[in-house]
Amino acid sequence: MANIQKRPNGKWRARYRDLEGKEHARHFDRKIDAQRWIDEVTASLVTGQYVDPRSAKKPFKEYAEEWRAIQPHRPSTAKAVAQHLRCYVYPAWEKRSLGAIKPGDVQSWVTSLTTTHGLAASTSRTVFNTVNAVFRAAVRDRMIPHNPCAEAKLPSVPRKKIVPLAVDQVRKLSEEIPARYKGLVLLGAATGLRPGELFGLQARHLDLLHATVSVEQQIQQTAKHGVYVCPPKTARSHRTVPLPRVAVDAMKAHLRGFPADGPEGWIFTAPQGGPVVYTHFMDASWRPACAKAGIAKGTGPHSLRHHYASLLIKHGESVKTVSERLGHTNAAMTLNIYTHLWPDSEERTRAAVDKAYADQSADAQPQVDEAA
C-alpha cells in the first residue's frame, strides 16, 4: 500500500510498505516527484526487483566476507580471492557501505591498481574480477539495485605471442630430464595436457589398447592445503584425448620402468613415492633439464601444451578440434592464445576475390552471333 500526503510545511510525503510490511517514507518538494518515486517502487515490487534501501547500508567488507565464505572455490582460488580482497580492496573500501560505492569510485580504484600498486594489466583484471563477482552477488541478493562495476574500463593486456618448443627441443628435453619423467615430457607434448592433469593421471585413466587418455582430475598445490587432488580446471577440461603412437610407446616404456601400483596407482610419481609435487619437480628435475637442453630460462611445463597445440594447427586441425583437445572453455579462448600460429591466408583470400571477379567478367562478355 502506498500513499502521498501534503505536510504542514508544504512538503509531500510519499509512503509505502515493503514485502515484509515495513513502512518506508521520503519527502519531496513537488508532488510529481513523490508520485514518480512511488511508481518506481511499486513497479519494482510487482516485478520482483525491489531492493530494501537499508540493505545498501551494509559494510562492503562484511558482505564480501560473507560472500567469500560460501563460495565453492577450490583451495588455490580461495587463497587468491582472499589475497585480492585483503591487499587491494579492503584498504580502499573497508569502511564504505555497498550502496555508497559508485561507478566512479570503481573506475578510480581500477586505475589505482596499476598507477599506485604497480600491478600488471592482467593482474589488475584478475583482482577486478573478484570485486565484480562480489557486486554481482550483491545485486542478485537484492542488496543493491545496480552493479557499479558494470561499465568499468579495464587496462588492456598486451597480447603475448607464444613461441612453441620445436620437436628437437622436446626430444632433447626428454633425454636430459630424469628417466622417471621422460614419459611425462613426451606424453605432455603428444596430448597437450596441463601439468596438473599430467600429475593427476592414474593407471585407470590410460587405455593403451584403444590409445586414449581420460582427464578426470588434476593435482594442485598450495601453501595452506599442500598437495591435493581436485577436479579439472573447467567442465570442458573433462575430456578423452587420443594418444599418437609416440605417446603409446612412451607410456609402455615408462610403465615397464616405473609400474603403477594397480588401477589407482599414479602413473608419474615423486622419487620418494606418491604424486608429483610441482615445486619439487621444477627445482630438482625440470629446470636443470631445460638448462642442459639449451631451452630458455623461465620455460615451464605448460610449454609442452603449447607445443601440442602448434602441431595440431600446423597440420590443419580446426579451431574447434584444437579447443576440444586442449579442454578450453570455448574456441574463442583458443583463438585468443594461438591465432598467430594459424597459417597465413593472404594468398588464399587474394585468389578467392580474384576468382569471383574473373567469373563475373566471363559472364559479362557479350555473346557473338556466329550467323552474322
Side-chain angles (χ1 to χ4, degrees):
M1 172 137 183
N3 63 71
I4 300 173
Q5 293 180 332
K6 190 171 185 178
R7 306 295 293 164
N9 62 1
K11 298 278 188 179
W12 293 89
R13 182 173 68 178
R15 297 184 299 173
Y16 72 93
R17 292 187 181 275
D18 62 22
L19 298 175
E20 297 179 356
K22 295 178 181 178
E23 185 177 278
H24 302 266
R26 281 184 62 181
H27 294 79
F28 299 88
D29 292 329
R30 302 188 306 167
K31 184 177 181 180
I32 190 173
D33 295 330
Q35 187 62 58
R36 183 181 295 112
W37 182 68
I38 285 293
D39 292 343
E40 291 174 355
V41 170
T42 302
S44 67
L45 286 167
V46 171
T47 60
Q49 301 299 313
Y50 175 74
V51 175
D52 188 333
R54 294 167 299 181
S55 299
K57 296 180 180 179
K58 190 164 193 172
F60 174 85
K61 181 178 180 180
E62 182 180 340
Y63 179 78
E65 285 299 295
E66 292 174 358
W67 168 84
R68 187 170 68 86
I70 63 173
Q71 299 308 304
H73 291 149
R74 62 185 65 194
S76 57
T77 303
K79 179 183 177 183
V81 166
Q83 183 182 33
H84 295 164
L85 293 171
R86 183 181 69 254
C87 297
Y88 305 112
V89 186
Y90 293 156
W93 297 335
E94 183 171 1
K95 297 180 180 179
R96 302 281 293 275
S97 64
L98 283 169
I101 301 171
K102 305 303 181 184
D105 299 321
V106 172
Q107 188 61 64
S108 177
W109 169 76
V110 168
T111 302
S112 74
L113 291 176
T114 53
T115 59
T116 302
H117 296 284
L119 299 184
S122 58
T123 307
S124 295
R125 283 174 169 261
T126 302
V127 175
F128 169 82
N129 288 339
T130 295
V131 171
N132 191 30
V134 173
F135 278 117
R136 283 204 314 267
V139 172
R140 191 168 55 248
D141 289 342
R142 301 286 187 265
M143 302 296 292
I144 53 178
H146 306 291
N147 180 359
C149 293
E151 297 183 10
K153 295 181 180 179
L154 306 180
S156 58
V157 180
R159 179 167 290 181
K160 190 175 181 181
K161 285 191 175 183
I162 291 169
V163 180
L165 293 176
V167 172
D168 288 344
Q169 289 178 300
V170 173
R171 284 176 174 161
K172 182 66 174 175
L173 179 61
S174 70
E175 293 168 359
E176 297 295 347
I177 206 162
R180 68 184 317 108
Y181 298 131
K182 178 177 182 177
L184 185 149
V185 170
L186 294 175
L187 183 63
T191 61
L193 268 61
R194 299 177 177 92
E197 294 170 347
L198 289 168
F199 299 158
L201 289 177
Q202 294 174 299
R204 61 190 176 90
H205 300 134
L206 198 62
D207 185 348
L208 296 181
L209 180 63
H210 297 95
T212 61
V213 60
S214 299
V215 179
E216 299 176 3
Q217 61 188 31
Q218 63 172 329
I219 294 286
Q220 288 293 310
Q221 179 184 11
T222 63
K224 184 176 180 180
H225 294 83
V227 178
Y228 62 96
V229 181
C230 62
K233 187 175 182 180
T234 66
R236 289 287 299 274
S237 297
H238 289 265
R239 62 198 188 281
T240 298
V241 181
L243 294 177
R245 173 54 55 186
V246 63
V248 172
D249 293 342
M251 286 300 93
K252 287 180 177 178
H254 172 78
L255 292 173
R256 282 196 299 269
F258 305 92
D261 186 15
E264 301 295 321
W266 303 108
I267 292 180
F268 305 110
T269 58
Q272 68 276 19
V276 178
V277 179
Y278 185 83
T279 51
H280 297 167
F281 169 75
M282 291 296 292
D283 292 339
S285 302
W286 179 269
R287 292 192 182 100
C290 284
K292 294 177 183 177
I295 294 175
K297 186 177 180 180
T299 302
H302 213 83
S303 61
L304 299 175
R305 183 170 167 84
H306 298 322
H307 169 80
Y308 173 74
S310 71
L311 293 182
L312 296 189
I313 294 169
K314 182 179 179 181
H315 287 84
E317 290 291 358
S318 67
V319 178
K320 181 176 182 294
T321 298
V322 177
S323 180
E324 289 175 349
R325 294 289 183 266
L326 294 175
H328 280 166
T329 303
N330 50 53
M333 180 179 180
T334 307
L335 273 176
N336 188 50
I337 299 172
Y338 299 114
T339 185
H340 64 287
L341 296 181
W342 256 272
D344 195 327
S345 60
E346 286 185 4
E347 289 304 320
R348 290 198 301 272
T349 54
R350 289 193 188 103
V353 175
D354 286 341
K355 183 177 185 303
Y357 276 87
D359 291 344
Q360 289 183 8
S361 297
D363 294 338
Q365 289 296 324
Q367 298 295 320
V368 178
D369 189 351
E370 296 180 356

